Amino acid sequence: MKSTCLVFLLFFGLFHAQKADSSRIECKYFTSFLIDTTDISTRKEEIVSLLIGDSISLFRSDAKARFDSLASDNVAQSVKKAGLIIIDFSNIPKAYFIQEVLYRRDKAVVYDKILQNVFAFEPENKITWKLVNETKTISTYTCKKAIGRYGKRLITAWYTQEIPFQEGPYNFKGLPGLIVEAYDDNDFYHFTLKSLKKVKKPIVTMKYSMKTEYAKFAKKRHDFQEDPIGAFFVATGRNVTKEQQARIIKLHRSKNNYLD
């Protein structure tokens, strides 16, 4: 059964992006992660791209990029036809890795969503690496090991100096070479380089986002999880049945594996 969402014209702005720069290379990472750390059946797999330019990079899910692009196309067509926005999400691929990370001039900005609201904030955590005298070959690359603490997670990274970019997935940067593989101590998140190619692509970020501080975003996310039904009603003006309430509460409270 197709699901549709009727929203106001203001929603149109959320899908517009702002050109920031162009990439020199594109790295694609095979990304594996749990939605719920207590349930291994919630493990998801996605391809996430890292676009690297001269002084900027953007880490973003391929599925999310397709979602935003197709949703934007649907919005434009709906506006032309009726003046209202009706989006059929059944034809748009599901994205689970929602966060985007823009890195520019040694400063990271994370874009994240609560319902349809996009927030932009500087991450609270910053990793400090310890280089380890250990090597292994991953694909065709000779890689060296590094470990670092990111919040409560211990991150292991394998980087190669054969690709001289101090870049990597998510907010894991600053090693003397591209990170080829990275994972936390519980393997709740695991990134592995799948491909790399030279390509010039526009690096775009969400234009209509709400700038905030991480602590305020985290509180807003916590409040939403405590009362997802109330937040849903405020956002949509719709009441839901008791059966739907139970499903919504279970769905949102099971999301507990936040990389930030």
Side-chain angles (χ1 to χ4, degrees):
M1 179 178 179
K2 290 185 177 181
S3 62
T4 59
C5 180
L6 179 64
V7 295
F8 294 104
L9 287 175
L10 180 61
F11 190 61
F12 182 58
L14 291 177
F15 293 100
H16 277 262
Q18 181 179 10
K19 183 176 179 180
D21 207 337
S22 296
S23 68
R24 293 175 59 192
I25 68 170
E26 179 182 51
C27 307
K28 288 189 178 292
Y29 287 87
F30 177 81
T31 304
S32 171
F33 56 97
L34 290 176
I35 301 294
D36 180 355
T37 58
T38 67
D39 184 357
I40 61 172
S41 70
T42 65
R43 183 168 292 277
K44 305 297 180 183
E45 297 175 346
E46 282 187 34
I47 300 299
V48 183
S49 292
L50 174 65
L51 293 172
I52 303 174
D54 290 330
S55 59
I56 192 171
S57 68
L58 178 66
F59 189 66
R60 186 187 194 193
S61 162
D62 285 12
K64 185 176 185 297
R66 289 195 299 273
F67 179 97
D68 290 349
S69 177
L70 290 171
S72 180
D73 290 344
N74 283 357
V75 166
Q77 291 299 321
S78 297
V79 169
K80 288 179 181 178
K81 289 179 180 179
L84 291 175
I85 301 173
I86 301 175
I87 305 176
D88 181 6
F89 286 99
S90 65
N91 294 322
I92 301 177
K94 176 70 173 178
Y96 293 96
F97 197 100
I98 301 301
Q99 290 180 318
E100 300 180 22
V101 180
L102 180 73
Y103 192 74
R104 178 163 44 196
R105 301 185 188 93
D106 298 325
K107 180 180 176 181
V109 176
V110 177
Y111 295 83
D112 207 343
K113 293 175 70 176
I114 300 174
L115 289 176
Q116 295 302 330
N117 296 316
V118 181
F119 298 89
F121 54 87
E122 292 184 33
E124 186 177 70
N125 299 309
K126 186 174 181 179
I127 197 164
T128 300
W129 296 106
K130 177 183 177 182
L131 304 185
V132 179
N133 186 24
E134 189 175 338
T135 63
K136 72 173 180 178
T137 300
I138 303 174
S139 297
T140 60
Y141 302 111
T142 299
C143 299
K144 296 183 178 181
K145 186 178 182 180
I147 57 174
R149 187 154 297 277
Y150 192 78
K152 296 180 180 180
R153 301 174 192 262
L154 182 65
I155 304 296
T156 298
W158 294 91
Y159 66 95
T160 179
Q161 293 177 295
E162 297 169 26
I163 307 172
F165 291 95
Q166 295 186 7
E167 275 286 352
Y170 191 64
N171 191 26
F172 306 142
K173 322 284 185 182
L175 286 169
L178 181 72
I179 294 176
V180 176
E181 185 177 20
Y183 45 88
D184 65 275
D185 43 339
N186 291 308
D187 205 37
F188 289 161
Y189 279 89
H190 199 126
F191 305 95
T192 306
L193 184 67
K194 182 176 181 287
S195 66
L196 181 151
K197 64 179 179 179
K198 293 182 179 180
V199 62
K200 186 174 182 179
K201 285 186 176 181
I203 295 177
V204 295
T205 58
M206 299 296 291
K207 182 178 180 181
Y208 292 96
S209 59
M210 290 173 275
K211 188 176 181 180
T212 187
E213 298 173 0
Y214 171 73
K216 292 180 179 178
F217 170 79
K219 183 180 185 306
K220 192 176 292 290
R221 183 174 61 191
H222 172 76
D223 292 345
F224 168 67
Q225 284 189 306
E226 289 296 304
D227 184 21
I229 303 303
F232 181 82
F233 178 78
V234 170
T236 65
R238 291 167 52 194
N239 290 308
V240 294
T241 66
K242 288 186 177 180
E243 182 180 336
Q244 291 171 323
Q245 287 182 18
R247 181 175 58 82
I248 291 171
I249 291 171
K250 180 180 179 181
L251 172 66
H252 290 290
R253 288 186 178 172
S254 65
K255 296 179 180 179
N256 57 38
N257 189 24
Y258 299 115
L259 190 53
D260 54 70

